[in-house]
Amino acid sequence: MSKYLIVSTAVTDEIHKKDSREVQYALGGAGVYALAGAKVWTDDISILTGVGEDFAGLHFKWFNNNGLSTKNLIIKDPWTPKTIIQYEDDDNRTETPYYGIDHYKKMNATMNEIAEAATSETVGMYVFKDHDEAFWEELLRFNKKQKLKIMWEINADSAHVEYLHQVRKIVENIDVFSINKNEAKTLFAEEDLEVIITRLKEWNINTVFLRVGSKGAYMVTKNSTVKISSVKDVNVVDVTGGGNSSSAGVLIGFCENRSLEEMGLMGSISAAICIEEEGVPLRIDQNTRNKAYMQLNKMMDKKGES
């Protein structure tokens, strides 16, 4: 029973850097990075996804070291998904499921599994997924009774103008929509962010978290647009998972009824903590949380002075 539920993947990343023969193996997946970003602000959280029989031997140590539950990790295959990540440069990479796309999709949580994991104590849910209409119809029907705060971080495969109608239908029925600038540009077939924000406001949105990388983000509602700063002087080591971790931070802020500025900055701080290490942060503890809240208060004070 968790207050917050992360519905997305946990995988092993096989990482190939450009011009290097060294191969790195690490815990990864959008769900794991979102879990890390949320763990900055709360301990009452778990991830729901399928894994292989080998997952415990590969990755339980990280969960145990961070006091994270493994109860919603469901064994669905002998092998945990493995993603081959090939970097072309610091900003561009390809990702290929080692066991194939069908094996990867097999790990997705079903609606029955979500219904079992989302108890009466669950308040918020992060979902990283495409626009699968059957899935979303089931989830939204389920949530009419459950009344969870749902964040959808869109899978890039669905961020294309031909899916605009389907995406809008989902966004208008959830609480927070997370999308990065490149995905927004392909979704609306538009390069100008101001135009994109205007078009988002034409929808019946609740809250949109529009991520613009190192420049921060925008929190967008029907009547407001708030520019969110990134954390300054971050020693960027690995940008993997920055979007997932920041989105989860925003969800926690949203569920805590914080202001747009606060929830956006919680996202920025979660991302900063994740990208300062290679892969998922090894340890996210009370000391991490104390520093995060100090950073949040400092950034809010600075915003108030400007």
Side-chain angles (χ1 to χ4, degrees):
M1 294 180 285
S2 300
K3 186 175 181 179
Y4 299 102
L5 190 63
I6 303 295
V7 181
S8 187
T9 54
V11 308
T12 298
D13 285 338
E14 180 179 306
I15 304 165
H16 301 258
K17 294 290 181 70
K18 184 181 180 182
D19 302 326
S20 174
R21 294 184 179 181
E22 181 182 0
V23 179
Q24 298 173 327
Y25 295 90
L27 173 63
V32 169
Y33 281 101
L35 183 66
K39 180 66 167 64
V40 171
W41 307 103
T42 181
D43 292 321
D44 200 355
I45 189 164
S46 64
I47 181 172
L48 172 64
T49 188
V51 295
E53 294 172 5
D54 59 344
F55 190 86
L58 291 169
H59 301 305
F60 266 23
K61 182 179 179 180
W62 182 83
F63 282 79
N64 293 334
N65 286 345
N66 286 285
L68 287 162
S69 172
T70 58
K71 65 184 176 184
N72 290 319
L73 296 172
I74 303 168
I75 295 176
K76 296 190 175 186
D77 192 85
W79 310 110
T80 291
K82 181 165 67 173
T83 302
I84 309 299
I85 299 177
Q86 179 67 59
Y87 278 88
E88 305 303 327
D89 52 45
D90 290 342
D91 298 319
N92 297 291
R93 67 185 197 176
T94 58
E95 299 186 13
T96 307
Y98 179 80
Y99 297 109
I101 191 64
D102 289 339
H103 177 269
Y104 186 87
K105 289 181 176 180
K106 177 182 179 181
M107 301 299 162
N108 289 337
T110 66
M111 194 56 240
N112 285 339
E113 290 163 348
I114 292 173
E116 185 173 342
T119 69
S120 59
E121 295 180 11
T122 307
V123 171
M125 180 186 296
Y126 163 99
V127 181
F128 179 82
K129 195 169 178 63
D130 59 20
H131 67 281
D132 182 341
E133 291 183 77
F135 169 85
W136 283 104
E137 284 176 3
E138 279 193 275
L139 179 59
L140 294 173
R141 186 164 54 247
F142 163 79
N143 202 44
K144 284 183 178 179
K145 293 182 179 179
Q146 198 73 9
K147 306 295 184 185
L148 302 174
K149 304 297 184 185
I150 295 178
M151 164 179 271
W152 177 31
E153 182 178 347
I154 191 171
N155 185 309
D157 292 342
S158 291
H160 292 278
V161 67
E162 61 263 39
Y163 304 131
L164 185 63
H165 174 74
Q166 295 97 316
V167 170
R168 177 175 180 170
K169 184 178 178 181
I170 298 166
V171 172
E172 291 186 336
N173 285 280
I174 59 168
D175 299 281
V176 190
F177 177 49
S178 178
I179 186 168
N180 69 35
K181 63 178 180 180
N182 291 332
E183 293 162 348
K185 288 177 180 180
T186 57
L187 178 63
F188 287 98
E190 173 61 56
E191 288 294 315
D192 191 322
L193 277 181
E194 290 188 9
V195 174
I196 289 170
I197 290 171
T198 298
R199 292 191 62 186
L200 280 167
K201 289 186 174 189
E202 293 171 355
W203 296 5
N204 185 27
I205 58 172
N206 186 322
T207 303
V208 176
F209 179 46
L210 175 57
R211 312 184 321 264
V212 292
S214 61
K215 294 182 179 179
Y218 293 91
M219 300 300 305
V220 182
T221 66
K222 191 75 174 175
N223 300 310
S224 301
T225 303
V226 178
K227 180 70 173 70
I228 304 299
S229 301
S230 58
V231 178
K232 306 303 181 187
D233 301 320
V234 175
N235 179 29
V236 178
V237 174
D238 181 5
V239 298
T240 306
N244 311 123
S245 56
S246 63
S247 297
V250 169
L251 174 64
I252 303 302
F254 183 89
C255 292
E256 291 182 351
N257 296 313
R258 292 178 177 267
S259 68
L260 290 175
E261 291 89 346
E262 285 180 299
M263 68 177 78
L265 290 173
M266 288 171 73
S268 292
I269 292 166
S270 287
I273 289 169
C274 282
I275 67 178
E276 284 190 317
E277 293 188 42
E278 188 78 44
V280 183
L282 292 178
R283 183 65 64 90
I284 305 171
D285 54 19
Q286 189 59 49
N287 185 49
T288 309
R289 188 167 302 153
N290 291 341
K291 290 181 178 178
Y293 274 109
M294 287 176 63
Q295 182 74 60
L296 176 62
N297 292 334
K298 180 180 178 181
M299 294 179 78
M300 285 298 295
D301 288 345
K302 190 173 181 178
K303 192 172 184 68
E305 294 169 0
S306 60

